[in-house]
Amino acid sequence: MQSRNATSTAASAASGRRWPLHRALAGTSTFLLCALLGAICGSSVLLIAGTRLDPGSANTFEMDRSIKPGDDFYGYANGGWLGTVAIPAGYASYDTRAMLKEKSSRRVRDLIQEAAASPSVNGSIAQKVGDYYASFMDADAIEARGMTPLRDELARVSAISNKTSLSAYLGTTLTGEVDGFTANADHIFGLWINQGFEDASRNVVHLWQGGLGMPERGYYVDSSPKMAALRAHYQTHISVVLKFAGIADPESRAARVLSLESRIAQAFAPDADATDVFKQDNSWKRGDFAIKAPGMDWDAYFKSAGVADQLDFTVWQPSAVTGVSALVETESADTWKDYLTFHLVEHYAAILPKAIANEDFSFYGTFLSGVQQAPERKQLAIAAINGALGQAVGELYTGRYFPPEAKSRAQAMVSDLISAFRTRISSLEWMSPDTKQKALAKLAALEVDIGYPDRWIDYSTLDIVRSDAFGNMRRAEAFLHARNLTKLKQPVDPIEWPINPQVPGAVIMFSPNAEFFSAAILQPPYFDWKGDAASNYGSAGAGMAHEISHSFDELGNIYDAHGRLGSWWTAEDRAKYGVAAQKLVTQFNGYCPFADLCLNGKQILTENIADLAGLLVAHDAWILSQKGKPDTLIGGQTGEQRFFLAFAQRWRKLQNESALREQVKSDTHSPGEYRSDTVRNVDAWYKAYQIAPIDRLYLKPEDRVRIW
Ligand SMILES: [Zn+2]
């Protein structure tokens, strides 16, 4: 897993917005993190965790001791598990991460339902969480209100009469709903408050392209019959929604809305630009908008957006700002009003009458995502609460499942990892002395946060009322937006949590320079705060070190210690790194899961290097943590053995053939078995398991890859 410049909006993940919801419901388990980590997030959302608890030891009962560790270490470590667990119906693959996700979801569901069922002090987070849920679940009340909740907002759209009033209305849709990786914001532009690319001392407004009802640009501009059919279906969907909103002649209006969206899509930046952050580093002064992007009444727009006094903006996709602004001038106000009406109804579909929610699901769920069964309402409610009150749920979650002792034990491990990194970086062969100084400065400044925030979001000014689903969502959105805007007046806060503690995962922020590991990912068997250090370091420790290494590799080398954009490797460093890495490319090219399909060592190189770094650094850190104490046996295994065993166990995964083939062809991460085989490059593994030249996995010392 990697990141360029991420941060979060767990907010958008659940205030009921359609993409986050539908993606989550469609089973895109990595959505939350991918939202944070974007296009390069790939399929490995990093740290893996949790199946059966086995406090105090590696999961030795899930091994297969009939296999020789030197012949098939992955099979030796996981044979018992692989032989007894089946891929559940509806899954193409299954691993400990999936199990952990299910476990955390159950816990969150129970906490929320308990809060809804038991009376709490008014104003407490339990009251807010419980009442948000109860109001969302009150389908009868929602049905009885019909479209009334939208009446005022629809009237505001209806009152648009000219360019200035249109611009002013569009400004109200600039809410804090995107993050460093959003491809398509919910409204024409998305807002992200984060430090500047060059100036780390203050937050600026980052502006995003957006406003498409379908996932991305290609859906509008691709001329294939498949996409053409999809657009026709979308147009029908728009007309059905407009009819719900009481709009006359919905069919021809839907055609015009689709036409407007297609023009917006044409203005989007090419997809290829999304992976090049330098192309997104476009500083615009407030005065530039009228010159570079004529059309919109920018005074009216920024005033109603609440950022009228901002002078500095970072425009990620200038073509979209220019293109959409021109459309404000050239498209009729009536078309814009229909477009806004359609998106307004869509935005709140989950808490409007059932017919609308059904229509929404039939297009986004069934047609676009292939999901036949609509989710249970409680799933939607829980997702919405995780967005609207994410840290309130996190506070309830960690209060029950992640005590301060767990946090301090994981923090101690991080401290050992950082010490180990310091030594490793200092002795890297491919990095020049000057570059090492920069790397060490970046390491010293790196903020690594564990479990949950030290300071929770204060929701006391957010009113949540048991009988008002619509009002709750509106107020929560306004609360989060206002909180976002406040950051413009505050110094950059590198410890602003971009992920909710109850979500199993981690986020690397390159800008600012910080990494976050949630409480829900720090669970057994991945991390057991009461358990065996060797297993914790081999599993969670190696995962954390993998992530930290990205701050110093070819991904992180374009961000400095303060998260400012700019490469700090020299050309010579880069060349030497490339030479050292080539051996790993060759090694992984030799792995062939099928007779006709081998791994592509180049495609998976960055992640394989991070796996190697993670394993080596975690091993160093484990040694440090032992402070010279004699090794102990647990389950018949030495500490050295348990360390490597836990590493191999974190990669176990069941996949059907097509899922495995797909991963080999397109993923930047190796299949689990080969990630586990990273041990072949580590001398300590040979010693721990007495691996000899006769063993199948044996590599001669000179063939072991030593990049880190
Ligand atoms: Zn990675």
Side-chain angles (χ1 to χ4, degrees):
M1 181 202 76
Q2 316 112 31
S3 153
R4 291 172 299 171
N5 186 303
T7 182
S8 99
T9 57
S12 66
S15 53
R17 292 181 184 125
R18 58 188 180 275
W19 277 108
L21 277 179
H22 281 290
R23 286 197 189 179
L25 296 171
T28 309
S29 62
T30 59
F31 170 72
L32 258 180
L33 279 165
C34 284
L36 309 177
L37 301 168
I40 53 173
C41 175
S43 71
S44 138
V45 182
L46 136 94
L47 313 173
I48 302 201
T51 57
R52 290 142 65 180
L53 306 186
D54 184 17
S57 77
N59 287 333
T60 53
F61 54 90
E62 293 174 349
M63 303 162 59
D64 181 346
R65 290 173 192 270
S66 71
I67 295 173
K68 245 180 111 185
D71 284 343
D72 174 7
F73 193 56
Y74 179 75
Y76 166 79
N78 298 301
W81 186 87
L82 294 167
T84 50
V85 176
I87 302 178
Y91 285 71
S93 59
Y94 198 60
D95 56 14
T96 44
R97 183 178 73 214
M99 289 177 167
L100 191 69
K101 193 165 169 276
E102 290 166 354
K103 181 171 141 194
S104 299
S105 297
R106 279 197 304 275
R107 287 174 163 183
V108 166
R109 178 200 63 199
D110 291 349
L111 283 166
I112 290 174
Q113 289 182 335
E114 279 172 34
S118 41
S120 304
V121 176
N122 198 30
S124 65
I125 56 167
Q127 176 264 316
K128 290 177 204 281
V129 167
D131 285 351
Y132 201 106
Y133 182 79
S135 70
F136 201 105
M137 292 301 289
D138 192 350
D140 290 345
I142 289 170
E143 204 65 30
R145 287 202 184 104
M147 297 294 279
T148 314
L150 283 185
R151 194 181 49 203
D152 292 352
E153 196 63 21
L154 286 169
R156 277 190 274 276
V157 172
S158 185
I160 293 169
S161 59
N162 55 30
K163 193 171 94 172
T164 298
S165 55
L166 172 60
S167 301
Y169 185 85
L170 289 171
T172 65
T173 69
L174 183 67
T175 46
E177 61 187 8
V178 302
D179 54 56
F181 287 99
T182 307
N184 169 25
D186 209 22
H187 302 290
I188 54 161
F189 302 130
L191 171 85
W192 183 38
I193 309 296
N194 198 51
Q195 72 176 56
F197 279 120
E198 273 102 31
D199 181 358
S201 68
R202 64 201 173 96
N203 287 312
V204 300
V205 175
H206 294 254
L207 274 189
W208 245 260
Q209 64 189 10
L212 304 182
M214 290 193 285
E216 57 197 49
R217 182 176 182 270
Y219 284 70
Y220 295 84
V221 301
D222 183 335
S223 60
S224 69
K226 186 183 162 203
M227 285 299 181
L230 209 144
R231 286 192 287 276
H233 208 100
Y234 180 52
Q235 186 176 318
T236 306
H237 169 64
I238 297 171
S239 73
V240 173
V241 171
L242 287 176
K243 209 166 164 186
F244 282 127
I247 301 289
D249 191 19
E251 287 84 6
S252 52
R253 286 166 184 249
R256 289 197 288 272
V257 170
L258 177 59
S259 161
L260 170 57
E261 278 193 29
S262 298
R263 282 164 219 262
I264 293 173
Q266 281 156 14
F268 265 42
D271 292 344
D273 287 3
T275 53
D276 184 354
V277 73
F278 290 96
K279 288 196 170 143
Q280 288 136 8
D281 177 20
N282 306 291
S283 294
W284 285 27
K285 293 285 178 196
R286 171 66 185 79
D288 289 338
F289 284 83
I291 299 159
K292 294 181 175 176
M296 181 90 78
D297 180 337
W298 289 107
D299 288 339
Y301 180 85
F302 284 124
K303 183 169 179 231
S304 63
V307 292
D309 53 351
Q310 290 304 305
L311 298 177
D312 295 299
F313 296 78
T314 298
V315 176
W316 282 53
Q317 300 92 6
S319 66
V321 173
T322 302
V324 171
S325 179
L327 291 170
V328 170
E329 182 87 56
T330 55
E331 293 282 325
S332 78
D334 281 343
T335 300
W336 273 108
K337 284 156 77 167
D338 293 337
Y339 165 88
L340 290 165
T341 299
F342 163 67
H343 283 282
L344 179 65
V345 176
E346 266 294 334
H347 184 81
Y348 292 106
I351 45 162
L352 288 172
K354 203 166 187 320
I356 296 176
N358 287 348
E359 169 60 26
D360 176 77
F361 179 75
S362 118
F363 182 72
Y364 287 107
T366 306
F367 188 74
L368 268 190
S369 310
V371 181
Q372 298 307 319
Q373 178 85 38
E376 289 183 274
R377 185 151 189 89
K378 64 184 173 198
Q379 284 179 264
L380 293 174
I382 290 165
I385 296 165
N386 274 320
L389 290 157
Q391 285 201 9
V393 177
E395 201 172 339
L396 297 175
Y397 177 92
T398 53
R400 185 171 299 178
Y401 298 112
F402 198 77
E405 296 91 325
K407 183 164 176 156
S408 56
R409 183 119 193 247
Q411 282 170 328
M413 185 164 76
V414 168
S415 164
D416 290 333
L417 293 171
I418 299 291
S419 300
F421 262 109
R422 203 175 298 122
T423 308
R424 284 265 165 196
I425 289 173
S426 303
S427 48
L428 288 177
E429 283 180 12
W430 54 270
M431 202 182 261
S432 63
D434 281 358
T435 308
K436 279 181 188 169
Q437 290 313 309
K438 289 173 183 152
L440 290 169
K442 185 170 181 181
L443 181 70
L446 176 68
E447 181 74 43
V448 180
D449 275 31
I450 294 296
Y452 53 88
D454 288 331
R455 198 177 62 244
W456 295 100
I457 292 176
D458 176 6
Y459 291 101
S460 58
T461 57
L462 171 59
D463 282 333
I464 300 297
V465 181
R466 183 158 273 243
S467 58
D468 186 11
F470 183 84
N472 288 341
M473 190 176 286
R474 290 283 280 192
R475 284 188 294 273
E477 287 174 344
F479 171 84
L480 292 168
H481 182 51
R483 190 172 173 276
N484 236 341
L485 292 185
T486 309
K487 290 183 206 161
L488 288 168
K489 299 187 171 63
Q490 294 167 341
V492 174
D493 178 8
I495 52 168
E496 167 90 18
W497 269 69
I499 182 171
N500 286 328
Q502 66 273 26
V503 175
V507 172
I508 310 176
M509 291 278 293
F510 286 151
S511 176
N513 179 18
E515 304 199 9
F516 302 84
F517 298 87
S518 75
I521 197 74
L522 293 170
Q523 292 191 62
Y526 184 68
F527 175 78
D528 181 352
W529 68 272
K530 287 186 270 195
D532 172 37
S535 300
N536 285 342
Y537 280 70
S539 188
M544 289 170 152
H546 168 120
E547 302 309 330
I548 293 170
S549 78
H550 281 317
S551 290
F552 307 95
D553 68 8
E554 57 197 297
L555 300 173
N557 76 58
I558 56 170
Y559 291 94
D560 73 7
H562 305 288
R564 291 173 301 202
L565 195 55
S567 184
W568 47 271
W569 281 10
T570 64
E572 197 192 344
D573 299 325
R574 201 172 296 281
K576 283 188 173 171
Y577 180 82
V579 171
Q582 187 51 43
K583 263 170 98 170
L584 205 58
V585 173
T586 308
Q587 187 177 102
F588 276 76
N589 278 342
Y591 294 140
C592 303
F594 301 101
D596 62 340
L597 185 64
C598 301
L599 305 192
N600 176 348
K602 230 175 155 151
Q603 171 189 313
I604 48 185
L605 177 63
T606 303
E607 294 304 321
N608 288 338
I609 292 174
D611 280 345
L612 180 57
L615 181 58
L616 289 166
V617 167
H619 187 261
D620 293 351
W622 178 65
I623 303 284
L624 282 175
S625 77
Q626 294 308 291
K627 300 187 170 69
K629 280 184 289 186
D631 201 348
T632 50
L633 283 179
I634 297 177
Q637 300 254 328
T638 65
E640 286 282 344
Q641 289 173 331
R642 297 194 305 277
F643 173 89
F644 289 107
L645 186 69
F647 178 79
Q649 287 182 335
R650 73 186 284 257
W651 299 121
R652 65 192 173 195
K653 183 172 193 172
L654 292 159
Q655 274 171 300
N656 66 25
E657 182 177 334
S658 67
L660 179 54
R661 283 181 177 273
E662 185 53 36
Q663 177 173 1
V664 171
K665 282 180 196 152
S666 60
D667 205 308
T668 55
H669 303 81
S670 309
E673 175 178 353
Y674 308 107
R675 300 188 79 167
S676 160
D677 283 349
T678 304
V679 296
R680 300 176 74 197
N681 295 304
V682 179
D683 297 342
W685 174 71
Y686 288 80
K687 204 169 154 209
Y689 281 98
Q690 293 165 2
I691 308 297
I694 192 175
D695 295 321
R696 202 178 63 83
L697 294 178
Y698 179 86
L699 287 174
K700 285 187 263 179
E702 63 269 29
D703 291 336
R704 297 172 198 164
V705 181
R706 306 179 194 278
I707 302 169
W708 272 86

